[in-house]
Amino acid sequence: MTVVLEQIFNGFQLGFVYALIALGYTMVYGIIRLINFAHGDVFMVGAFLGVFGYTSWRLPFPLAILVSMVMCAVLGVTIERAAYRPLRYAPRIAALISAIGVSLFLEYFCSLKFVFGPNYRVVDRPFAVTSFRVAGANVSNIQVIVAVVVVVLLALLQYMLFHTKIGKAMRAVSQDHDAARLMGINVDNVISATFAIGSALAAAGGVLYAVAYPQIWPFLGIMPGLKAFTAAVLGGIGIVPGAFLGALIMGQVDVLSAAFISSQFRDAVGFSILILVLLVRPTGLLGSRQPEKV
């Protein structure tokens, strides 16, 4: 029982990181109906920048996370303006292909030796790992930090969405671009803000992921990005609570499958659950035919 409980805690740790990535997917889809396949690579860039922040630049760990979030927010806005905005009124497949192109560009550009380099890097943690016992199971300080940071960021996101002017504008744009324009909302700025916030959250997730699983490389974002996208679809893409719920489920499925079935089957188990859920509820667990989107 203790082993099961420890694996559940590990699943929550992974699920919390997935949640930060999934929120970016679901926010962008909710606003412009685009699956931003480059989002996982922004997560990778955030991991590198955060690690450089507290190792090479000697920043305090919280400041390293903040710097990574700001730089990735700028990256997200740049991607939106350079690769997606010119295609906003083109057929949807064009933007989708552009997203795949941006993803590949980031992965191979970051693999160049003068950028991050192609090799795996073992990450030094910014603090010593300690653990304590909860109901007989070991819980590490990293798991606590991941949970606290993610909960704080989610609370700030919820407050921003429902209690600020930009949040109300984002919800209006998600409903109808033309109506939002008629109401005086600058739709272009709102979309840029959505990319900035989603990219910043992915960067925070990247730093936490690098600390929890201390190895990074330029293709780091592929599988966590796919899992987070799966989580967003599982919970109901375009719905913030759905992305969080789907991420927690995917985290548990990943960890419990690897621990008690086989690490080689964990991806198959996760994607199989996604297919089964969509067969029963095509809009995801929390989706409906007319959901309130971001």
Side-chain angles (χ1 to χ4, degrees):
M1 187 61 192
T2 301
V3 174
V4 174
L5 191 56
E6 287 182 351
Q7 296 304 328
I8 290 174
F9 288 144
N10 291 334
F12 277 122
Q13 172 182 285
L14 185 58
F16 279 131
V17 175
Y18 284 163
L20 290 181
I21 316 171
L23 287 171
Y25 278 114
T26 210
M27 289 174 69
V28 169
Y29 184 85
I31 291 286
I32 58 174
R33 303 295 187 271
L34 168 69
I35 299 172
N36 180 18
F37 281 113
H39 193 62
D41 301 293
V42 175
F43 161 85
M44 173 272 294
V45 173
F48 272 95
L49 293 176
V51 170
F52 289 160
Y54 69 76
T55 56
S56 301
W57 305 334
R58 304 295 180 186
L59 299 175
F61 182 59
L63 185 57
I65 295 179
L66 189 60
V67 168
S68 174
M69 292 175 70
V70 171
M71 295 177 75
C72 282
V74 174
L75 175 63
V77 173
T78 303
I79 291 172
E80 188 273 326
R81 295 197 174 186
Y84 301 149
R85 184 175 295 185
L87 300 173
R88 189 171 299 163
Y89 301 105
R92 197 165 295 179
I93 188 67
L96 197 63
I97 293 171
S98 181
I100 295 172
V102 173
S103 172
L104 293 173
F105 170 79
L106 287 175
E107 289 165 6
Y108 286 96
F109 179 75
C110 291
S111 298
L112 297 174
K113 288 185 178 179
F114 68 90
V115 187
F116 299 148
N119 300 321
Y120 286 76
R121 291 171 183 254
V122 176
V123 172
D124 293 326
R125 286 173 166 143
F127 44 77
V129 179
T130 59
S131 62
F132 53 93
R133 299 185 77 80
V134 174
N138 285 321
V139 176
S140 72
N141 56 342
I142 292 178
Q143 291 172 321
V144 175
I145 290 171
V146 169
V148 169
V149 172
V150 173
V151 169
V152 168
L153 289 176
L154 284 174
L156 290 174
L157 178 64
Q158 283 293 100
Y159 179 83
M160 185 275 295
L161 286 175
F162 293 98
H163 299 283
T164 66
K165 189 175 180 180
I166 184 64
K168 293 174 183 176
M170 291 167 70
R171 288 188 288 132
V173 172
S174 73
Q175 296 295 323
D176 191 316
H177 286 200
D178 294 331
R181 280 196 182 90
L182 290 174
M183 297 299 293
I185 295 172
N186 188 323
V187 173
D188 289 338
N189 287 348
V190 170
I191 292 173
S192 293
T194 304
F195 272 84
I197 294 168
S199 299
L201 292 175
V207 182
L208 295 175
Y209 187 91
V211 173
Y213 311 97
Q215 195 174 53
I216 56 177
W217 68 103
F219 295 88
L220 168 70
I222 295 177
M223 190 50 71
L226 280 175
K227 292 295 181 64
F229 172 65
T230 302
V233 175
L234 181 64
I237 192 162
I239 304 171
V240 169
F244 183 62
L245 175 63
L248 293 184
I249 292 173
M250 286 303 298
Q252 294 296 338
V253 169
D254 266 17
V255 171
L256 295 178
S257 299
F260 300 112
I261 301 177
S262 167
S263 59
Q264 296 177 337
F265 282 99
R266 69 175 188 176
D267 296 335
V269 173
F271 294 127
S272 298
I273 289 177
L274 170 67
I275 294 170
L276 290 174
V277 170
L278 291 182
L279 286 174
V280 178
R281 288 184 61 87
T283 56
L285 293 173
L286 300 187
S288 62
R289 291 189 180 277
Q290 294 181 333
E292 183 182 2
K293 298 183 173 69
V294 179

